[in-house]
Amino acid sequence: MRSGMATITAPISLVQATGEDQGAFLILSPIFRPGTGPKSPDERAAVTFGWAYTPIAIREVLSHFDLRNGDFRLVLSDVSGPGPVYPFFESALRQESRQAVLSRRIERDVFGRRWRIDLHAQARYLQGLNQLQPNTVLMPGALTSLLLAALVAAVRLGRQRERENAAKKALLAASVDSSTVAIIAETLEGRITSWNRAAETVFGYSAEKAIGQPSQILVPPQRRPEAARVLADLNEGRSVPAFDTVCQTKWAAVWRY
């Protein structure tokens, strides 16, 4: 009465509910004197002059609750007091479904009482799910793991080879750059792409000035037809044997090679 709300009793036995020992409850609601409208607990206690109650048999309430024809076992217990827990409802089970394979327990407040709800899935329920056998799932999972491991190994190997190639290129570039011989590289179109420090000393052009320029800047005018024929042979895939030629420096000096 002090809360002004409907409450429920502990599990009781109703005379009319034959065979249902402590499987029922009374829902109690206080009745206050007309026109009082109490607001505080003490006011409600002072103006209460009666109770309205409704008996409830829990098995009747849950008679249409879907438990999949025994695939689940539902157990309800009142755990409000400090005494022993007494289940006041247990759903019926098939004879072949006595062993639970999956269980869940929760507690809820119900009209001032504390109820514990246990739901147990039986083996028959899991069988009806048509779940895959463990081996059926394990084999594709193992194959997938092996493929992923192979992919990771391939990526690591590729990165290792990239690092090795980069190191080799860096070593080659350092060797070319430190050489005392002028080393020049050009494209099949005759554009200079590489120019070491010895080339700077011999021809007078810095690498910044030379790279990207046509290699004709190193060829005296009278030798340019010869250089053009060499490039033409290379573009057509013909080999060019070693030959002597003449190159021109920045200062118009001529070097014979």
Coordinates of all heavy atoms in Angstrom, one line a residue, residues 13 31 67 78 85 88 108-109 120 139 141 167 187-188 190 198 215 226 243 247 250:
S13 N -0.5 -21.9 -3.2 CA -1.3 -23.0 -3.8 C -2.7 -22.6 -3.7 O -3.3 -22.2 -2.7 CB -1.1 -24.3 -3.0 OG 0.3 -24.7 -3.1
I31 N -6.9 -0.2 -2.1 CA -8.0 0.7 -2.4 C -8.0 1.8 -1.4 O -8.0 1.6 -0.2 CB -9.3 -0.1 -2.3 CG1 -9.3 -1.3 -3.3 CG2 -10.5 0.8 -2.5 CD1 -10.5 -2.2 -3.1
L67 N 6.9 -23.3 -26.6 CA 8.1 -24.0 -26.2 C 8.5 -25.1 -27.1 O 9.3 -26.0 -26.8 CB 8.0 -24.6 -24.8 CG 7.8 -23.6 -23.6 CD1 7.4 -24.3 -22.3 CD2 9.0 -22.8 -23.5
D78 N 11.0 -18.1 -7.7 CA 10.9 -16.8 -6.9 C 12.2 -16.8 -6.1 O 12.4 -17.7 -5.2 CB 9.7 -16.8 -6.1 CG 9.5 -15.4 -5.4 OD1 10.3 -15.1 -4.6 OD2 8.5 -14.7 -5.8
V85 N 15.5 -21.4 -2.8 CA 14.9 -21.1 -4.1 C 13.9 -22.3 -4.4 O 14.3 -23.5 -4.4 CB 15.9 -20.9 -5.2 CG1 15.1 -20.7 -6.5 CG2 16.8 -19.8 -4.9
F88 N 8.5 -22.5 -9.1 CA 7.0 -22.6 -9.0 C 6.4 -23.0 -10.4 O 5.2 -23.1 -10.5 CB 6.4 -21.3 -8.6 CG 6.8 -20.1 -9.4 CD1 6.1 -19.7 -10.5 CD2 7.8 -19.2 -9.0 CE1 6.4 -18.6 -11.3 CE2 8.2 -18.1 -9.7 CZ 7.5 -17.8 -10.9
R108 N 14.5 -11.0 -13.2 CA 13.7 -9.8 -13.5 C 12.8 -9.5 -12.3 O 12.4 -10.4 -11.5 CB 12.8 -10.0 -14.7 CG 13.6 -10.2 -16.0 CD 14.2 -8.8 -16.4 NE 14.8 -8.9 -17.7 CZ 16.1 -9.2 -17.9 NH1 16.8 -9.4 -16.9 NH2 16.6 -9.2 -19.2
D109 N 12.5 -8.2 -12.1 CA 11.6 -7.7 -11.1 C 10.2 -7.8 -11.7 O 9.9 -7.2 -12.7 CB 11.9 -6.3 -10.7 CG 13.3 -6.2 -9.9 OD1 13.6 -7.2 -9.1 OD2 14.0 -5.3 -10.1
H120 N 16.3 -23.7 -21.0 CA 17.2 -24.8 -21.5 C 16.8 -25.3 -22.8 O 15.7 -25.8 -23.0 CB 17.3 -25.9 -20.4 CG 17.5 -25.5 -19.0 ND1 18.7 -25.1 -18.5 CD2 16.6 -25.3 -18.0 CE1 18.6 -24.8 -17.3 NE2 17.3 -24.9 -16.9
M139 N 37.4 -28.2 -42.5 CA 38.2 -28.4 -43.7 C 38.2 -27.1 -44.5 O 39.3 -26.6 -44.9 CB 37.6 -29.5 -44.6 CG 37.8 -30.9 -43.9 SD 39.6 -31.2 -43.6 CE 40.2 -31.2 -45.3
G141 N 37.8 -24.1 -43.4 CA 38.5 -23.1 -42.6 C 40.0 -23.4 -42.7 O 40.8 -22.4 -42.7
A167 N 68.6 -2.6 -53.1 CA 70.0 -2.6 -52.6 C 71.0 -2.8 -53.7 O 72.0 -2.1 -53.8 CB 70.2 -3.7 -51.5
T187 N 68.2 6.8 -73.9 CA 67.1 6.0 -74.5 C 67.3 5.7 -75.9 O 68.2 6.2 -76.6 CB 65.8 6.8 -74.3 OG1 65.8 8.0 -75.1 CG2 65.6 7.2 -72.8
L188 N 66.4 4.9 -76.5 CA 66.5 4.6 -77.9 C 66.2 5.8 -78.8 O 66.4 5.8 -80.0 CB 65.6 3.4 -78.2 CG 66.0 2.0 -77.7 CD1 65.0 1.0 -78.0 CD2 67.4 1.6 -78.2
G190 N 67.5 8.6 -78.1 CA 68.7 9.5 -78.0 C 68.6 10.5 -76.9 O 69.3 11.6 -77.0
A198 N 82.3 11.3 -63.4 CA 83.4 11.3 -64.4 C 82.9 12.0 -65.7 O 83.7 12.7 -66.3 CB 83.9 9.9 -64.6
S215 N 71.4 13.3 -76.9 CA 72.9 12.9 -76.9 C 73.6 13.6 -78.0 O 74.9 13.5 -78.0 CB 73.0 11.4 -77.0 OG 72.4 10.9 -78.2
E226 N 76.4 9.3 -88.4 CA 76.9 8.0 -87.9 C 76.1 7.7 -86.6 O 75.6 6.5 -86.4 CB 78.3 8.1 -87.6 CG 78.9 6.8 -86.9 CD 80.4 7.0 -86.5 OE1 80.6 7.7 -85.5 OE2 81.3 6.5 -87.2
F243 N 83.1 0.2 -82.0 CA 83.7 1.1 -83.1 C 84.3 2.3 -82.4 O 84.0 2.7 -81.3 CB 82.6 1.5 -84.1 CG 81.5 2.3 -83.5 CD1 81.6 3.7 -83.6 CD2 80.4 1.8 -82.9 CE1 80.6 4.5 -83.1 CE2 79.4 2.6 -82.3 CZ 79.5 3.9 -82.4
C247 N 83.8 12.3 -79.7 CA 82.8 13.0 -78.9 C 83.2 14.5 -78.7 O 84.4 14.8 -78.8 CB 82.6 12.4 -77.6 SG 81.8 10.7 -77.7
K250 N 81.7 20.3 -73.7 CA 81.0 21.6 -73.6 C 81.9 22.7 -74.2 O 81.3 23.7 -74.7 CB 80.7 21.9 -72.1 CG 80.1 23.2 -71.8 CD 79.9 23.3 -70.3 CE 79.2 24.7 -70.0 NZ 79.0 24.9 -68.5

